[in-house]
Amino acid sequence: MLLSAGTGSYRVKRAMERAAEALGMDRHDASVGINEMSVTAHRGDNFRTVVRQVYRVGVNSRRIEALEYLSRHLPDPCTAATLEAALDKISRTVTARWKPWQSVLAAGVACAGFSVLNRFSLTDSAVVLVAAAGGQLVRRSASKRYLNQFGTTALAAATASLVYLIVAALVNSTGIQMLRVGDPGYVASLLFLVPGFPMITSILDLARMDFTAGLARAAYTFGLVVSATMSAWVISFLTGLTPLATESVLPAVWRWVAYGLATFFGVCGFAVLFNSSRRMVLIAASMGTVGNLGRIALTTASVPNQLAAGVGGLVIGLLAAPITRRFHLPRITVTVPACVIMVPGTAMYRMMYWLNADDTVQALGFGVDAVLAVVAIGIGLAMARMLTDRGWTFARPIPSPHAFRFELEDWQANSPSPEPPPSLPAPSGTQDQKS
């Protein structure tokens, strides 16, 4: 259930270890990917291995929170029936927090915030909101019918691009120069398709030396990005849309106000898409605003984009440590939505555009910038986690009283002393029987 909710493999393994110990297992080993896992539980000399597969990969922050809370508050003693009843209750009750129209609107608001941060005009941002909402509506409908996820992403990208083209043409037909909409804005209307959650958790998994999950998530992320960018490129090729950079700049004071509001509401939009609770939405938006404004301030001061993105991720991770402890929230449910707004999604789409336009130099420039920025964000989050979480710093297993008991028995069996421990009754019989 945790894996299907989109959390990282570290959290999945930890939760299973807690449950295994509560059920009386002596040891628990697991290999976790992005949509499958193999688990072995040990009790004495007996063991059992089970392989399970997740058929649909998604993100559900509320379910992550509920399952994490359950794993940390298991009853003592805990039986399999008790645990399964609790899991069944979560499956029935922890469902979609937001209504469909709210999810559709959230995608539009998130992309509109991205467009403001990428210096598109306010008119462009309004058209982006409508286009992204249309793309999200198609994605929701296709997902309910269990359409292939890569096909769903391509279809949603094509829909958002076409809606942007149609709405922009209608606005430009009014002849009002102030409301003129440019072609580049269609790139921002696709940014709700950026797989921010698996993109960042893949780096966190790799930081934990979990290559099985980290590489699988990276491949999944790459597939989604390619699906969206290739679909958008086909539409741009057929219609003549070009994702060129814009020059719209607000006055200095209003620029920072616009950046702050765009970041706050953009993070809120992504958090709603991740099915976060209201508390998670507000916390993620507040932390994301602080981290992203700091990143923008550093880039304005001529700091390299990658370093600024890493510092932004570090700030968000450090802020999350005391806040998540105070409100008993899984850290990943607020840090990832807060960081997604810093992912250079427009650079990813421009990379594919110029690659298909046979301009390799431009494509490599945008591609390298995008990859390094995402890696830097993940490194910043990982550093913050290592600085504030001893479990991440030292990577020690969860202490188990069962493991300690077997270590004690093993020490007693190999002790050179012929006398038994005082707490055990002395064996009877002949010397040969004792031996």
Side-chain angles (χ1 to χ4, degrees):
M1 291 176 69
L2 271 172
L3 190 63
S4 63
T7 191
S9 65
Y10 167 77
R11 195 172 295 278
V12 175
K13 290 179 180 179
R14 286 298 208 188
M16 287 194 293
E17 286 176 358
R18 296 187 192 100
E21 182 178 335
L23 292 172
M25 303 300 171
D26 300 325
R27 198 172 90 240
H28 180 273
D29 302 311
S31 176
V32 180
I34 186 173
N35 63 343
E36 60 185 6
M37 65 173 69
S38 58
V39 180
T40 301
H42 302 259
R43 177 180 285 167
D45 293 332
N46 299 321
F47 67 92
R48 182 170 181 176
T49 299
V50 180
V51 179
R52 291 298 304 270
Q53 184 175 1
V54 175
Y55 295 99
R56 194 75 179 175
V57 180
V59 180
N60 192 330
S61 294
R62 285 190 70 211
R63 183 160 288 190
I64 294 173
E65 179 189 15
L67 292 169
E68 180 75 10
Y69 182 86
L70 173 62
S71 74
R72 293 180 179 275
H73 298 83
L74 291 168
D76 186 19
C78 181
T79 64
T82 302
L83 178 57
E84 192 153 350
L87 293 174
D88 288 341
K89 183 178 179 181
I90 291 175
S91 180
R92 291 192 310 269
T93 60
V94 184
T95 54
R97 171 64 181 81
W98 306 95
K99 297 178 181 178
W101 70 267
Q102 292 173 322
S103 173
V104 170
L105 180 61
V109 171
C111 291
F114 256 126
S115 64
V116 172
L117 293 172
N118 284 279
R119 299 184 179 183
F120 293 112
S121 68
L122 295 179
T123 307
D124 285 340
S125 301
V127 178
V128 164
L129 191 152
V130 176
Q136 172 64 10
L137 181 62
V138 170
R139 183 168 73 164
R140 281 185 58 90
S141 301
S143 297
K144 285 185 176 181
R145 292 165 175 78
Y146 292 93
L147 186 68
N148 178 276
Q149 283 192 286
F150 298 123
T152 299
T153 301
L155 184 61
T159 302
S161 300
L162 288 174
V163 171
Y164 183 88
L165 178 67
I166 294 171
V167 176
L170 292 175
V171 173
N172 290 333
S173 65
T174 61
I176 302 176
Q177 192 64 27
M178 288 181 59
L179 299 179
R180 185 163 184 81
V181 181
D183 289 352
Y186 89 94
V187 179
S189 67
L190 309 174
L191 295 179
F192 71 97
L193 296 171
V194 172
F197 223 94
M199 185 181 294
I200 294 176
T201 52
S202 68
I203 301 172
L204 296 177
D205 284 337
L206 291 173
R208 291 284 307 178
M209 304 293 290
D210 193 338
F211 297 104
T212 300
L215 294 177
R217 289 179 190 278
Y220 171 71
T221 298
F222 179 76
L224 290 179
V225 171
V226 169
S227 299
T229 52
M230 289 300 295
S231 177
W233 173 79
V234 170
I235 298 299
S236 66
F237 176 77
L238 295 175
T239 60
L241 292 171
T242 55
L244 301 177
T246 58
E247 300 296 333
S248 176
V249 179
L250 294 171
V253 176
W254 291 107
R255 185 190 317 162
W256 287 99
V257 174
Y259 288 164
L261 292 175
T263 301
F264 185 88
F265 288 107
V267 174
C268 286
F270 280 111
V272 170
L273 290 177
F274 297 153
N275 197 38
S276 302
S277 63
R278 291 182 181 178
R279 182 174 58 176
M280 291 180 191
V281 170
L282 293 177
I283 292 174
S286 301
M287 294 193 310
T289 302
V290 175
N292 194 41
L293 289 182
R295 179 190 67 85
I296 296 173
L298 290 176
T299 55
T300 305
S302 301
V303 175
N305 292 333
Q306 296 78 23
L307 179 58
V311 173
L314 177 64
V315 170
I316 289 173
L318 293 176
L319 289 175
I323 293 176
T324 53
R325 281 196 296 266
R326 171 65 178 82
F327 293 99
H328 305 289
L329 293 173
R331 192 179 303 198
I332 196 172
T333 59
V334 292
T335 55
V336 174
C339 288
V340 169
I341 199 70
M342 298 190 294
V343 173
T346 54
M348 297 178 186
Y349 292 108
R350 286 170 178 158
M351 173 194 70
M352 294 302 298
Y353 174 84
W354 289 114
L355 192 63
N356 288 294
D358 293 329
D359 193 335
T360 308
V361 175
Q362 287 266 36
L364 288 177
F366 284 118
V368 170
D369 285 345
V371 171
L372 291 180
V374 172
V375 171
I377 293 171
I379 291 174
L381 287 176
M383 289 178 59
R385 192 67 185 267
M386 292 177 187
L387 292 172
T388 57
D389 187 345
R390 291 177 61 87
W392 264 66
T393 306
F394 298 101
R396 294 171 179 168
I398 296 177
S400 171
H402 302 287
F404 174 77
R405 188 189 74 212
F406 283 109
E407 288 176 6
L408 178 62
E409 292 177 354
D410 182 67
W411 174 82
Q412 291 171 346
N414 295 286
S415 174
S417 174
E419 297 297 328
S423 59
L424 298 178
S428 59
T430 63
Q431 184 62 37
D432 292 336
Q433 288 175 332
K434 290 183 182 179
S435 300

